[in-house]
Amino acid sequence: MRTQVGIVGAGPAGLFLSLLLQRAGIDCVVLESHRRDYIETRVRAGVLEQGTVDLMDDLGAGERLHREGMLDPRLDIRYKGGVIHIDLPALTPGKIVTIYGQQEVVKDLIAARLGRGGSILFEAEATHITGLDGSRPTIHFKHNGQNQTLECDIVAGCDGFHGICRGSIPEHLLTVYDRVYPFGWFGILAEAKPFPEMTYSSHERGFSLASRRSPTLSRLYVQCGAEDDPADWPDRRIWDELQARLYDATGAELHEGKILQRGVIPLRAFVAAPMRHGRMFLAGDAAHIVPPTGAKGLNLAAADIRVLSRALIEFFRTGAMDRLDRYSDTCLKRVWKVTRYSNYMTSLLHRFESSTPFDQSVQQAELDYVAGSLAGQTTIAENYVGLPFEED
Ligand code: FAS
Ligand code: PHB
């Protein structure tokens, strides 16, 4: 097989890219190792920045998002000093976020891609890539029990943190920045009336977060041990911890219900640079991971693709490689700002066993400062709704 752009991975990064290239008349093939139903039901992120919503609209894939997504104008932070109400439109004029599950985004993008005659090969696992130092790299993959190849002009490594593309870059050419946090999140999706506001909570028992997916579906998280197993968290423990960590949330706020999905999410901040090797360009989790405290992973993947698609369209239209040559530096500027914010929110809201009384006092003072400072609240608000895009 041959194409202009071989895209490894049908997560948000790969799907956004495939639709933008298809619209520009650039031939691309998407290889996805899992089945369609598996990736369409994988519960992950939930908060979309306006830039990501705009991208869905720009691609004509935003109709259900506007019908079923929930506009979220506020963010609450609970801590022992009280509740900090962060009013997004007041602090970042006119900006808000939309709550819409990542699996719904993936469903809409797959439907748009296939509906427009684009190809996605499901259960097609890329095993390795050859020819990256030349101008005709080849992606080797397994599909229908056959070893197959996809020759391309460009490889887009959109295969997530555990994919093979980043590993195709010779180690001595890659610089990796890594921080593994000493805890994880235990997340549940429950058939229960959600908490009234997006609520982060910093509590001596640990962090918790109350989010939602619909007026009848709650998405809830509690800080847990990095090595915890879901079996360590029976339903009663989950609800008791949520109730305690959300400062004795009342029955009018925290509704229990049937838990439909549960899982432990490790927390990590990871950046690989450069996000390019020869004719291969990394985007999304293949290049960087941010702790979900900032609600940024999916949005950062979309931001990478915004830059990469523009560079690829210029390349295929004019042969110019300037934008492609600037791709990694352009993306990494945003990646590091988003990593900074996600690390800040993680450090601000979680309990660290290694914390000294000094550390705990500084953390408390930071929350007290934000509670009393419009500047402090504006800093959180402008990062949460999404930083402006710098023209690349
Ligand atoms: P993805 O990982 O979404 O997609 C990569 C795709 O490549 C996958 O479909 C995978 O099957 C495929 N693939 C991998 N190797 C392949 C190969 N060799 N051949 C072919 N295909 C291959 N972010 C938030 O903002 N909030 C959250 O609450 C949140 N929760 C998360 C929970 C979990 C368990 C995980 C893993 C991530 C979570 N994230 C969250 C981050 C997440 O949303 C990512 O940022 C987002 O999925 C990034 O999108 P992609 O870069 O497209 O990578
Ligand atoms: C979610 O709704 O899944 C969510 C919300 C905010 C976060 C992380 C995840 O910071």
Side-chain angles (χ1 to χ4, degrees):
M1 281 170 73
R2 67 169 315 289
T3 185
Q4 288 175 291
V5 181
I7 299 173
V8 186
L15 292 168
F16 276 130
L17 182 61
S18 71
L19 282 161
L20 287 162
L21 294 179
Q22 184 176 3
R23 183 175 67 179
I26 296 167
D27 189 54
C28 57
V29 171
V30 183
L31 302 176
E32 167 53 51
S33 52
H34 284 295
R35 294 190 324 276
R36 175 176 182 177
D37 63 316
Y38 176 84
I39 64 174
E40 289 188 342
T41 52
R42 209 170 25 184
V43 178
R44 279 185 167 173
V47 175
L48 303 189
E49 295 173 1
Q50 190 56 47
T52 306
V53 172
D54 293 346
L55 184 56
M56 292 287 281
D57 285 339
D58 176 36
L59 287 167
E63 192 267 331
R64 191 163 70 101
L65 160 61
H66 289 290
R67 201 172 64 242
E68 297 176 11
M70 294 169 289
L71 299 180
D72 215 12
R74 208 168 85 172
L75 160 64
D76 280 0
I77 297 176
R78 292 186 178 190
Y79 76 114
K80 73 178 179 188
V83 185
I84 304 168
H85 299 295
I86 296 188
D87 181 344
L88 302 173
L91 297 170
T92 56
K95 288 198 174 183
I96 51 173
V97 297
T98 301
I99 305 286
Y100 189 65
Q102 175 173 322
Q103 71 275 25
E104 306 311 327
V105 170
V106 165
K107 270 184 213 156
D108 296 340
L109 294 176
I110 289 175
R113 171 75 176 160
L114 298 179
R116 295 171 197 173
S119 75
I120 303 174
L121 293 186
F122 292 101
E123 297 181 270
E125 179 171 11
T127 52
H128 61 290
I129 303 169
T130 53
L132 276 176
D133 41 10
S135 58
R136 303 277 312 137
T138 299
I139 303 169
H140 301 258
F141 66 100
K142 285 197 186 101
H143 189 228
N144 297 332
Q146 303 279 325
N147 287 329
Q148 308 208 25
T149 58
L150 177 63
E151 251 192 61
C152 19
D153 299 315
I154 296 282
V155 174
C158 302
D159 52 346
F161 186 66
H162 301 291
I164 57 115
C165 291
R166 187 177 66 251
S168 308
I169 301 178
E171 254 185 70
H172 70 279
L173 296 177
L174 201 66
T175 304
V176 163
Y177 308 83
D178 199 4
R179 179 174 192 186
V180 178
Y181 294 90
F183 41 72
W185 282 11
F186 183 73
I188 62 169
L189 189 68
E191 225 161 39
K193 187 165 176 275
F195 219 70
E197 293 298 341
M198 176 70 75
T199 302
Y200 292 77
S201 181
S202 173
H203 191 281
E204 62 191 12
R205 297 175 70 94
F207 168 84
S208 63
L209 169 59
S211 181
R212 60 190 186 281
R213 288 294 178 272
S214 80
T216 57
L217 262 184
S218 289
R219 178 68 167 151
L220 298 152
Y221 302 92
V222 289
Q223 176 181 345
C224 67
E227 308 300 324
D228 272 12
D229 182 292
D232 299 330
W233 286 87
D235 293 14
R236 194 63 261 143
R237 183 185 179 198
I238 301 169
W239 296 115
D240 291 348
E241 282 303 317
L242 280 163
Q243 203 265 347
R245 297 183 191 194
L246 289 161
Y247 289 88
D248 298 326
T250 65
E253 294 172 312
L254 181 65
H255 297 267
E256 299 186 11
K258 181 167 178 261
I259 296 177
L260 305 174
Q261 191 269 352
R262 64 182 73 212
V264 174
I265 301 159
L267 261 66
R268 182 173 206 154
F270 175 93
V271 179
M275 294 169 53
R276 173 202 187 168
H277 177 56
R279 288 294 184 100
M280 180 175 72
F281 296 82
L282 302 179
D285 277 19
H288 42 70
I289 291 279
V290 283
T293 329
K296 290 298 161 198
L298 165 56
N299 297 298
L300 199 49
D304 287 348
I305 294 304
R306 193 175 176 279
V307 179
L308 183 55
S309 58
R310 221 180 258 174
L312 287 174
I313 290 167
E314 181 176 81
F315 169 66
F316 283 107
R317 282 197 181 142
T318 69
M321 293 200 77
D322 314 42
R323 284 182 187 272
L324 283 175
D325 291 341
R326 296 198 305 269
Y327 168 72
S328 181
D329 287 345
T330 303
C331 287
L332 285 171
K333 275 200 195 95
R334 188 179 188 89
V335 166
W336 278 111
K337 287 179 188 172
V338 168
T339 300
R340 178 211 69 83
Y341 168 67
S342 304
N343 182 63
Y344 167 75
M345 291 294 276
T346 303
S347 307
L348 180 67
L349 300 172
H350 288 77
R351 279 286 159 279
F352 291 74
E353 278 182 16
S354 61
S355 279
T356 63
F358 174 84
D359 301 326
Q360 286 159 19
S361 304
V362 167
Q363 188 184 53
Q364 174 70 38
E366 178 69 25
L367 284 161
D368 284 334
Y369 161 71
V370 171
S373 160
L374 270 189
Q377 292 170 30
T378 302
T379 296
I380 290 176
E382 66 182 8
N383 280 278
Y384 184 68
V385 298
L387 297 174
F389 291 108
E390 286 181 30
E391 282 326 305
D392 54 315

